[in-house]
């Protein structure tokens, strides 16, 4: 078989997060070194401006022009690469043609979607083609859901070493986080709220903790879900709902399902934000829970949704400043408990703001992992999760090159 000219193409290189990713890849791999990568997007002029901003002359960083709706152009792009990273979102609006073409042409793919309803649609529509062609498709390779998915994977590895068995219950708590969000993320959130408001069946599907697990997978265990303020005795603090749990918990459950229930058939998982102790913690938890509910209600109703989009949320292409990205960080705590009551605590941290500085580094390393570490791995085509596709290989890359830490906390 002929070797394509590129190892990896970044589709959507001119997006807010794509620009950060492109800079990161240039720093990590150079522009025309042994790792052959290229940038792609719908606008030749914007791609050239991005390349110029990196101080690279024409020809030093190849450019591919393709519109997300132009299947023929996407097919040409896929013919020229082994891996595509996509940051073109909202994925539910623009993402399907590329997933379809990757699945049909055997091109490996990873992205940043957190749109669970879209992921479900893609698995149903394109998994047979991906299995046949050998394309490995990995959604959710950013802050949602790499730290959660790999955090649970890491905890379960250590639990098996220590206790000889996995933890049947794991809680993830966000201890601290600093970061903003971009127009692209805002547009994706608003689009999910819009679709869900108009479709009761979709609301039911979104509420199903196993909604993206393989068909027929339905363990008889009720999943915990933090939907309001409450006290968590395991952490000695008040907790509030965590907005990303809606996607992260689904990915973690899919990882368990794809790994033949390696976390247990009764595995339970939830996520929440730690808000502190005493009256101060309680007030903060209640305030955050109420604010989140207000945001969801505002997003569900057309007039308030319009006001949110118009006056509150950032526009596409906008996002946190370079200074805010640099000052951002996150600190996630995991508590695992085995069926016989033994516990294990794990901490996962990242530098830079979670949604952009850190997300770009995670996505870049996920793409590099597909192109460099897993090319000959023999892993078959299909829709994977970060933990089941990358596991230890990505943890090593993230710790070495992306500012993440994974550690066991001793009591
Ligand atoms: N999982 C996570 O942690 C995480 C974090 C950050 C972002 N995200 C997601 O990543 C996505 C990108 O976010 P962002 O803030 O970077 O978005 P953004 O700045 O609004 O960028 C959207 C990109 O889509 C491109 N695009 C739109 N229509 C297109 C078409 N028809 N053909 C080709 N390209 C098209 C735009 O091209 P132009 O540049 O030419 O306008 C732009 O590059 C969003 O879906 C967001 O939800 C996820």
């Amino acid at each position: 078989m002929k070797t394509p000219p590129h190892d990896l193409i970044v589709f959507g290189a001119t997006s807010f997060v794509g620009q950060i990713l492109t800079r990161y890849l240039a720093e990590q791999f150079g522009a025309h070194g042994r790792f052959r990568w290229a940038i792609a997007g719908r606008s030749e002029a914007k791609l050239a401006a991005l390349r110029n901003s990196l101080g690279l002359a024409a020809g030093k960083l190849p450019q591919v022009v393709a519109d997300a709706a132009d299947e023929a152009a996407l097919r040409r792009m896929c013919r020229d690469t082994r891996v595509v990273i996509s940051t073109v979102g909202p994925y539910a609006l623009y993402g399907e043609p590329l997933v379809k073409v990757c699945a049909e042409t055997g091109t490996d793919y990873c992205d940043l979607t957190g749109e669970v309803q879209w992921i479900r649609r893609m698995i149903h529509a394109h998994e047979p083609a991906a299995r046949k062609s050998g394309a490995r498709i990995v959604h959710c390779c950013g802050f949602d859901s790499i730290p959660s998915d790999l955090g649970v994977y890491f905890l379960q590895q250590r639990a098996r070493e220590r206790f000889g068995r996995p933890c049947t219950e794991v809680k993830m708590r966000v201890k601290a986080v600093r970061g903003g969000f971009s127009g692209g993320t805002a547009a994706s959130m608003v689009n999910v709220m819009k679709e869900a408001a108009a479709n009761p069946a979709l609301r039911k599907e979104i509420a199903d903790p196993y909604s993206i697990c393989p068909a027929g997978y339905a363990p008889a265990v009720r999943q915990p879900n933090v939907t309001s303020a409450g006290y968590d005795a395991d952490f000695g603090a008040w907790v509030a709902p965590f907005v990303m749990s809606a996607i992260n918990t689904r990915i973690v459950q899919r990882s368990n399902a794809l790994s033949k229930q390696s976390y247990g058939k009764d595995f339970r998982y939830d996520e929440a934000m730690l808000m502190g102790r005493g009256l101060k913690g309680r007030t903060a938890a209640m305030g955050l829970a109420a604010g989140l509910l207000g945001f969801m209600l505002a997003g569900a109703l057309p007039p308030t949704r319009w006001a949110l989009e118009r006056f509150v949320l950032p526009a596409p292409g906008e996002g946190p400043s370079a200074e805010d990205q640099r000052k951002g960080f996150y600190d996630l705590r995991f508590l695992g408990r085995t069926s016989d009551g033994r516990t294990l605590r794990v901490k996962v941290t990242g530098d830079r703001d979670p949604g952009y500085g850190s997300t770009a580094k995670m996505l870049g390393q996920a793409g590099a992992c597909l192109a460099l570490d897993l090319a000959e791995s023999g892993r078959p085509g299909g829709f994977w999760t970060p933990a089941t596709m990358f596991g230890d290989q990505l943890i090593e890359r993230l710790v070495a090159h992306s500012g993440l830490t994974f550690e066991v906390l001793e009591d």
Side-chain angles (χ1 to χ4, degrees):
M1 211 167 68
K2 143 173 148 344
T3 311
H6 308 304
D7 295 312
L8 179 145
I9 291 182
V10 180
F11 184 53
T14 54
S15 70
F16 187 80
V17 72
Q19 293 180 48
I20 305 169
L21 168 63
T22 301
R23 278 203 176 83
Y24 174 67
L25 289 178
E27 282 161 24
Q28 287 285 307
F29 300 106
H32 46 104
R34 277 182 46 223
F35 184 56
R36 302 155 309 143
W37 63 285
I39 51 175
R42 61 178 163 179
S43 159
E44 189 163 12
K46 280 179 95 172
L47 288 169
L50 174 61
R51 194 202 61 229
N52 288 338
S53 76
L54 297 172
L56 296 166
K60 293 291 183 198
L61 180 59
Q63 289 172 217
V64 178
V65 177
D67 190 281
D70 181 349
E71 233 183 88
L74 297 175
R75 224 167 263 282
R76 282 195 294 279
M77 178 171 86
C78 286
R79 217 174 32 223
D80 282 351
T81 187
R82 295 193 290 117
V83 178
V84 175
I85 288 178
S86 174
T87 71
V88 173
Y91 293 88
L93 298 182
Y94 309 123
E96 179 159 10
L98 179 57
V99 171
K100 175 177 183 277
V101 168
C102 285
E104 287 172 359
T105 56
T107 310
D108 291 341
Y109 167 98
C110 53
D111 72 18
L112 286 183
T113 185
E115 297 148 79
V116 71
Q117 84 292 8
W118 181 71
I119 296 173
R120 184 181 152 92
R121 288 206 290 271
M122 294 307 96
I123 295 172
H124 280 241
H126 304 297
E127 183 142 57
R131 285 207 174 131
K132 195 166 160 211
S133 71
R136 284 91 53 97
I137 311 284
V138 195
H139 296 301
C140 299
C141 293
F143 183 60
D144 43 319
S145 301
I146 281 184
S148 297
D149 201 25
L150 288 183
V152 175
Y153 168 87
F154 178 84
L155 180 145
Q156 298 291 25
Q157 304 273 90
R158 304 293 86 77
R160 260 182 236 107
E161 287 163 14
R162 258 180 210 207
F163 310 136
R165 59 174 71 181
C167 292
T168 46
E169 179 194 346
V170 177
K171 293 177 171 187
M172 187 283 266
R173 301 292 179 250
V174 181
K175 182 161 193 283
V177 63
R178 179 169 174 169
F181 65 104
S182 71
T185 299
S188 300
M189 284 164 65
V190 167
N191 187 58
V192 175
M193 293 191 269
K194 215 185 265 181
E195 284 193 34
N199 184 346
L202 177 62
R203 288 202 292 279
K204 198 165 161 226
E205 183 189 302
I206 288 175
D208 174 5
Y210 308 113
S211 70
I212 55 169
C213 290
Y217 182 84
V221 54
R222 201 181 159 80
Q223 289 298 326
N225 188 12
V226 177
T227 54
S228 56
Y231 186 74
D232 187 336
D234 281 327
F235 287 82
W238 284 84
V239 293
F242 176 48
V243 69
M244 300 298 181
S245 75
I247 177 64
N248 293 340
T249 54
R250 277 44 172 176
I251 289 289
V252 169
Q253 291 296 345
R254 182 168 169 85
S255 290
N256 190 35
L258 294 186
S259 62
K260 301 195 176 74
Q261 296 184 309
S262 63
Y263 304 162
K265 64 179 173 28
D266 295 332
F267 174 67
R268 303 194 316 144
Y269 179 69
D270 72 354
E271 299 191 338
M273 306 266 300
L274 288 177
M275 303 305 294
R277 296 164 195 267
L279 187 60
K280 212 170 145 198
R282 183 172 185 234
T283 310
M286 291 172 84
L288 181 60
L292 217 61
L293 184 66
F295 180 74
M296 295 299 180
L297 288 175
L301 303 171
T304 39
R305 184 165 61 230
W306 176 84
L308 270 182
E309 286 182 283
R310 179 89 174 75
F311 301 113
V312 181
L313 299 171
E318 293 176 3
S321 67
E323 176 70 355
D324 287 343
Q325 288 171 39
R326 202 180 49 75
K327 285 185 179 160
F329 65 92
Y330 50 92
D331 178 345
L332 313 180
R333 302 298 169 99
F334 296 77
L335 171 78
R337 183 172 281 116
T338 58
S339 52
D340 60 356
R342 285 176 289 179
T343 59
L344 186 65
R345 288 182 191 262
V346 157
K347 172 176 166 182
V348 175
T349 65
D351 67 356
R352 308 281 174 87
D353 77 306
Y356 303 94
S358 183
T359 277
K361 294 195 284 184
M362 287 188 269
L363 180 60
Q365 292 299 342
C369 199
L370 272 174
L372 299 173
D373 306 339
L374 301 173
E376 311 293 338
S377 71
R379 263 168 237 188
F383 282 64
W384 294 72
T385 58
T388 52
M389 173 51 64
F390 304 122
D392 292 333
Q393 275 152 312
L394 187 57
I395 291 180
E396 277 166 31
R397 282 184 169 275
L398 297 178
V399 170
H401 308 293
S402 303
L404 271 81
T405 67
F406 292 77
E407 66 175 294
V408 171
L409 297 175
E410 302 300 345
D411 282 332

